[in-house]
Amino acid sequence: MEVRIGQRVSRGMLPLLALHTFSEYYRSDSKPPVTAALIAANTIIYLRPSLFDSLIPPIQQVWFNPHLILKHKDLKRFLLSPFYHIGEPHLVYNMLSLLWKGFQLETSMGSINFASMVASLLLLSQGVTLVLSKSLLLLFDYDKPYYNEYAVGFSGVLFAMKVVLNSQSSDYSYVHGVIVPSRYAAWAELLLVQLLVPGVSFIGHLGGILAGLLYVKLRNTYSGSNPITLLVRGVTDFLRWPFKFLPRRGRITGRGTVGTNRGWRCQTCTYDNDSGLRSVCEMCGTSRGVDGLSSFQRSSRLDGLPLDELRRRRLDRFTSR
């Protein structure tokens, strides 16, 4: 089944991605906004809806190519290439991986720290990949395989996130059916993906792993605040600043309980009434006293009934449910 979405034709994988993402956010108590924003950004760039078509550069202008980046000092290729994908399976596989990793990391770190970490890993993975490609050219004269390679995709950042996520783990993970220690899962996935999908960028994935290791090392040795975290927090505070001047709802203050709905026990028939808002016993009709207990004034329809009869009626009520 083919569905046209924006300028792309989906073969059913994008609706499944949307359904899976919605179900994860619906059933989860924590709803990480940065993860959702990253998935939305990658998907919108892939679909290229007409509303954003003029704002999204074509993929030919953003391919990650070390030679062109260094020759022209092209920051567009350096910064934007991770958000582009060459096909629907490429996008969906990466976004499902981002959904799983993002939920765990953003929930544990907080949205601001997670956003700064993703920005740091993106810059580090792109930078390490660039250095590796240039080094292979200078040391081994590897020109076409890596230095002139064209690549796009978020997988380099995802490999770095996997290293951060498993850096302190002592558990084991499944990597394409192979059980490995979690802290080495990224290395195992690097080799298995290269064997199973030979066309992927080995140097890009390797750069992501090394970027993750570098980030963990810097985080453990540097005690100060992450500059990118300070920048993200500053932007967040700036965006929140206008809302400080909006009128706030009035607050009811005072002692006592407000809006309680505790049940109460009738002192006449011992029936436990579920609602604290009820002033008359649901079983025997005895009115409730102002002190929270039922008064012993019975309604006219129950005057003269003995206590045993009231209790029998209560028992009949339970058995009839």
Side-chain angles (χ1 to χ4, degrees):
M1 181 183 67
E2 294 184 352
V3 180
R4 176 167 290 278
I5 306 176
Q7 298 184 17
R8 299 282 188 172
V9 176
S10 172
R11 290 174 173 80
M13 297 185 69
L14 281 176
L16 290 177
L17 171 64
L19 180 62
H20 185 72
T21 303
F22 175 79
S23 63
E24 286 293 325
Y25 273 82
Y26 179 78
R27 70 183 184 181
S28 175
D29 294 332
S30 60
K31 296 172 173 55
V34 178
T35 300
L38 288 171
I39 294 174
N42 280 270
T43 305
I44 289 173
I45 289 174
Y46 174 76
L47 294 175
R48 298 185 65 88
S50 57
L51 181 63
F52 302 103
D53 186 53
S54 60
L55 302 176
I56 302 174
I59 194 171
Q60 292 79 9
Q61 297 180 9
V62 298
W63 285 102
F64 184 89
N65 181 278
H67 171 68
L68 295 178
I69 291 174
L70 294 176
K71 180 180 179 180
H72 302 291
K73 298 180 175 57
D74 195 343
L75 291 179
K76 184 192 296 184
R77 295 180 184 272
F78 185 83
L79 297 175
L80 296 184
S81 57
F83 298 97
Y84 284 70
H85 295 81
I86 59 175
E88 189 176 15
H90 187 203
L91 172 71
V92 172
Y93 180 84
N94 279 353
M95 293 305 99
L96 290 176
S97 179
L98 173 60
L99 179 66
W100 183 76
K101 296 178 177 69
F103 250 92
Q104 298 184 72
L105 288 170
E106 187 172 354
T107 302
S108 61
M109 299 173 62
S111 295
I112 293 179
N113 289 328
F114 176 73
S116 67
M117 183 201 71
V118 171
S120 301
L121 293 179
L122 188 148
L123 295 175
L124 286 173
S125 62
Q126 297 289 85
V128 171
T129 303
L130 198 64
V131 171
L132 285 175
S133 302
K134 186 65 175 180
S135 301
L136 289 173
L137 173 67
L138 296 177
L139 298 177
F140 304 102
D141 198 24
Y142 278 8
D143 188 359
K144 289 186 178 180
Y146 301 117
Y147 191 64
N148 282 307
E149 181 181 66
Y150 290 85
V152 290
F154 210 72
S155 53
V157 182
L158 293 173
F159 269 92
M161 291 173 63
K162 193 180 191 74
V163 172
V164 175
L165 182 63
N166 294 327
S167 59
Q168 302 296 328
S169 177
S170 57
D171 297 331
Y172 288 82
S173 301
Y174 279 93
V175 180
H176 299 281
V178 180
I179 302 178
V180 296
S182 294
R183 64 176 57 192
Y184 304 118
W187 293 102
E189 186 172 358
L190 172 68
L191 298 177
L192 289 174
V193 167
Q194 196 65 31
L195 291 174
L196 298 175
V197 190
V200 299
S201 174
F202 175 80
I203 199 75
H205 293 171
L206 178 61
I209 293 177
L210 297 178
L213 294 173
L214 181 60
Y215 177 85
V216 172
K217 182 67 174 179
L218 292 174
R219 186 186 60 181
N220 293 336
T221 57
Y222 180 62
S223 58
S225 299
N226 187 340
I228 298 181
T229 302
L230 297 178
L231 177 61
V232 173
R233 185 174 287 113
V235 172
T236 304
D237 293 340
F238 176 77
L239 294 176
R240 290 176 179 173
W241 177 76
F243 295 96
K244 295 181 180 179
F245 300 96
L246 294 178
R248 297 183 179 181
R249 289 184 177 182
R251 180 180 296 177
I252 300 175
T253 59
R255 300 181 62 185
T257 56
V258 179
T260 56
N261 192 25
R262 293 183 301 173
W264 55 281
R265 172 169 292 186
C266 177
Q267 296 297 316
T268 302
C269 66
T270 69
Y271 179 71
D272 291 323
N273 292 273
D274 295 333
S275 175
L277 302 177
R278 184 182 296 275
S279 60
V280 177
C281 177
E282 186 181 1
M283 170 57 62
C284 65
T286 304
S287 60
R288 182 184 181 185
V290 296
D291 58 352
L293 301 176
S294 63
S295 66
F296 289 89
Q297 300 174 353
R298 303 181 183 177
S299 61
S300 58
R301 66 184 177 87
L302 293 173
D303 284 344
L305 288 179
L307 184 61
D308 292 341
E309 176 65 16
L310 293 176
R311 290 176 176 169
R312 185 188 66 78
R313 291 190 180 187
R314 177 173 181 263
L315 181 62
D316 291 342
R317 183 180 179 90
F318 274 111
T319 55
S320 63
R321 288 184 177 181

